[in-house]
Amino acid sequence: MFVFARIGGEWRVAMVQQPRLGKRMIPGGHVEDDETAAEAGERETEEETGLRGVKLLEPARPDLPSGYPHPRMPQPWWVSELRVPADNHLGEPHVHVDHVFVALADPDEPAGDGVHETVWMSLEELLEHPDVFEDTKLLAKELFPRIGEIAPVESI
């Protein structure tokens, strides 16, 4: 989950140090049996960073027809599949499906009370960091220029 906060007048994103992979990553993890992908993203963000109550930002999408009887679920910005080797969740190579959400955090809520070391990075810091995955850098380059437009005014 890309978690943004406006800190010192500049947009920054929360990045965790993932010890198993030795990389800086956006917070995230696996969906449990009793939760949605969005709920998993919020839970994993809190567990990994200590940030509570992040506010999901949803991409543009069409309205449901009037009278549609089911609740609308929060939508990820991107969904992608990648083949991964065996890990601590599955003992064989498998397809990992990423649901990439975008959220805002309260800039006064300190990150770093979670299980992973967490830092707030600017776009420049993220792009220059040697231990950030290239796919994360590509998505960050799409989001950073737009976050001021898509974040609700009251959150700034």
Side-chain angles (χ1 to χ4, degrees):
M1 180 176 302
F2 279 89
V3 180
F4 286 91
R6 195 155 175 86
I7 300 171
E10 180 181 32
W11 286 106
R12 294 187 164 268
V13 68
M15 298 290 287
V16 300
Q17 182 66 37
Q18 216 293 339
R20 185 171 58 83
L21 299 175
K23 296 276 195 177
R24 286 257 178 226
M25 301 174 64
I26 58 174
H30 290 87
V31 178
E32 301 297 334
D33 290 340
D34 64 341
E35 64 187 0
T36 66
E39 290 167 341
E42 293 169 327
R43 176 186 51 76
E44 290 282 357
T45 296
E46 184 174 342
E47 287 175 7
E48 292 183 2
T49 68
L51 292 167
R52 294 178 179 85
V54 297
K55 179 181 177 174
L56 292 178
L57 299 177
E58 295 199 45
R61 59 188 176 163
D63 290 332
L64 287 171
S66 179
Y68 187 76
H70 308 291
R72 174 170 255 170
M73 302 302 297
Q75 299 294 305
W77 283 72
W78 294 284
V79 177
S80 59
E81 293 182 348
L82 54 147
R83 296 202 176 277
V84 297
D87 60 19
N88 59 336
H89 290 278
L90 213 59
E92 58 196 38
H94 56 281
V95 174
H96 181 94
V97 178
D98 274 348
H99 294 85
V100 182
F101 289 89
V102 178
L104 293 179
D106 181 346
D108 296 325
E109 173 81 23
D113 296 337
V115 297
H116 296 319
E117 174 194 345
T118 305
V119 296
W120 290 103
M121 297 177 91
S122 68
L123 177 59
E124 293 75 23
E125 292 166 333
L126 186 147
L127 294 177
E128 293 173 5
H129 201 289
D131 292 330
V132 173
F133 287 109
E134 287 303 314
D135 58 348
T136 300
K137 291 179 180 184
L138 287 170
L139 295 180
K141 286 195 301 191
E142 288 292 317
L143 288 170
F144 264 94
R146 298 173 52 202
I147 191 66
E149 298 168 12
I150 58 179
V153 173
E154 67 272 8
S155 69
I156 300 174

